[in-house]
Amino acid sequence: MRKIVIALSVLMALTSCVSKKQYAALEAKNKETQDLLNSCTVKLNSCLEEKAGLAATAESYKSHNQDLINSSKDLTVLTTKGAENLEKSLESLKEKDLKISRLQDALTKKDSVTLALVTSLKGAVGINDPDIEINVEKGVVFISIADKLLFKSGSYDVSDKAKTVLAKVAKVVNDKPDFECMVEGHTDDVPYKSNGIILDNWDLSVKRSTAIVRVLTNDLGVNPAKLIAAGRSSYVPLVANDTPENKARNRRTRIVVMPKIDQFYDMIEKEMKKQSK
C-alpha cells in the first residue's frame, strides 16, 4: 500500500511538471513522427521491391544481350561458312561444267573421227556388195563380211577374193596408227561335227578369226599389236537361225575398227581425277 501511495505521488509530481498543452503537443509530434516513419517504411519497402524487380529485369536484359551477342557470333560464323560453302559449290559446278565440256568435246571428236573412218573405209573398199556391210555400232566402226566371201563351208582357209577385200581394209587400218582392229568370227547354230582338228563352232569361229588375222599381218603388213582375234560361235546372231538365208547371214566375220580404248579411258580417268581434287 505504501508503494502505491509513493507511485501516485511521483505521477502527480510529473503531471505537475508538464502542462496539458505541452503534453498534447508532444503527443501530436510523436504521432506525426510515427506516421512519417510508417510512410517512409512503406516507401522503402516499395523501393526495395522496385529495385529487386529492376535488378531482375537488368539481369534478364543482360542475359538476353549475351544471347544476342552469341547469336550474332554464330550468325557471323554461319554466314562465313555459308559463303565458303557457296564458293566451293560454285567452284565445283565450274569444274563439273569444264569436265562435261571436255568429255563432250572428246565424244564429238571421237564421233567425227568415226564418221571420217566410215567414209574412208567405204571409199577404200569401194565394193557395192550386200555381203559386205560398213556401219557404226555403239560408237565403233565395223565391217561385216559374209563367210561365203571368205571361206568355204566348214573351212577356215581364206579365199583369194577375201584377200582382195582385206587388202583394202588393211590400207585404211595402216593409215590410222591410233586405231585397233578386233576380228570376230561368227557361225550359225548348226552343231559342227568334229573332224579332229576343229572341235565345235567355238573352235571354228576362233580359227576363222585367227586366219583373217594372219592374212592381215603376214600378207598385208598390219601391225600385229593392233589386232585382236575373237570367236563368238553362234551366240551373237544377227537374226534368228530359222531359215537357210538367216543362217547364211549369221555366218560372218566382223572386223571392228576402233580407237584405242585405253587412250579414251585414260582421258576420262584424268578428268575424273581432276574433278575429285
Side-chain angles (χ1 to χ4, degrees):
M1 187 70 179
R2 184 180 177 185
K3 292 180 179 179
I4 296 173
V5 173
I6 293 173
L8 289 173
S9 298
V10 173
L11 180 61
M12 289 177 64
L14 289 173
T15 305
S16 62
C17 292
V18 180
S19 66
K20 289 184 179 180
K21 185 176 181 181
Q22 288 176 330
Y23 179 80
L26 290 172
E27 190 175 39
K29 187 68 174 178
N30 179 63
K31 186 178 183 305
E32 182 182 350
T33 302
Q34 188 65 43
D35 290 343
L36 181 60
L37 176 61
N38 292 337
S39 176
C40 289
T41 301
V42 171
K43 289 181 179 179
L44 175 61
N45 291 334
S46 177
C47 288
L48 291 174
E49 291 178 359
E50 185 177 357
K51 178 184 177 183
L54 290 174
T57 302
E59 189 63 30
S60 175
Y61 284 156
K62 182 179 179 181
S63 177
H64 183 61
N65 185 56
Q66 188 61 44
D67 290 341
L68 289 175
I69 292 173
N70 294 336
S71 298
S72 177
K73 290 179 180 178
D74 292 341
L75 184 60
T76 302
V77 172
L78 290 175
T79 303
T80 302
K81 289 183 178 179
E84 291 175 354
N85 291 337
L86 179 59
E87 186 176 354
K88 289 180 180 178
S89 297
L90 291 174
E91 188 65 28
S92 178
L93 286 175
K94 289 180 181 178
E95 290 178 359
K96 288 182 179 179
D97 287 341
L98 179 60
K99 174 193 169 185
I100 291 172
S101 177
R102 287 177 177 174
L103 291 179
Q104 286 177 338
D105 289 344
L107 290 173
T108 300
K109 181 178 180 181
K110 182 175 178 290
D111 290 341
S112 299
V113 171
T114 299
L115 179 60
L117 181 59
V118 171
T119 304
S120 298
L121 283 169
K122 287 185 175 180
V125 174
I127 299 176
N128 186 14
D129 192 320
D131 294 319
I132 300 175
E133 294 182 2
I134 301 174
N135 213 329
V136 177
E137 183 178 288
K138 297 180 181 180
V140 297
V141 179
F142 71 91
I143 307 166
S144 185
I145 307 173
D147 273 7
K148 66 183 181 180
L149 296 181
L150 300 175
F151 311 100
K152 294 180 181 179
S153 178
S155 170
Y156 56 88
D157 292 328
V158 181
S159 67
D160 291 336
K161 184 176 181 180
K163 291 179 181 179
T164 302
V165 176
L166 292 175
K168 296 179 180 180
V169 174
K171 182 179 183 306
V172 175
V173 173
N174 286 332
D175 289 340
K176 305 289 183 182
D178 293 331
F179 283 79
E180 293 179 333
C181 289
M182 181 165 62
V183 182
E184 293 181 347
H186 296 260
T187 69
D188 58 27
D189 65 347
V190 177
Y192 189 88
K193 294 180 180 180
S194 175
N195 58 8
I197 299 175
I198 300 174
L199 302 179
D200 52 22
N201 281 330
W202 277 112
D203 203 9
L204 178 62
S205 65
V206 172
K207 288 186 181 298
R208 286 182 168 177
S209 173
T210 54
I212 297 296
V213 166
R214 290 190 182 95
V215 171
L216 291 173
T217 56
N218 296 338
D219 300 341
L220 302 174
V222 176
N223 181 1
K226 298 175 64 175
L227 298 176
I228 304 167
R232 306 299 299 271
S233 187
S234 61
Y235 297 104
V236 191
L238 292 174
V239 292
N241 285 289
D242 52 4
T243 65
E245 290 78 12
N246 284 350
K247 290 180 186 293
R249 285 192 64 190
N250 289 330
R251 294 190 301 269
R252 68 200 187 280
T253 296
R254 191 171 77 157
I255 302 174
V256 183
V257 185
M258 53 193 173
K260 290 185 178 180
I261 299 299
D262 55 345
Q263 294 179 353
F264 187 66
Y265 284 158
D266 283 345
M267 180 187 63
I268 295 177
E269 186 178 359
K270 287 178 182 178
E271 293 301 326
M272 294 297 289
K273 287 181 178 179
K274 288 180 182 179
Q275 181 65 27
S276 63
K277 291 181 179 179

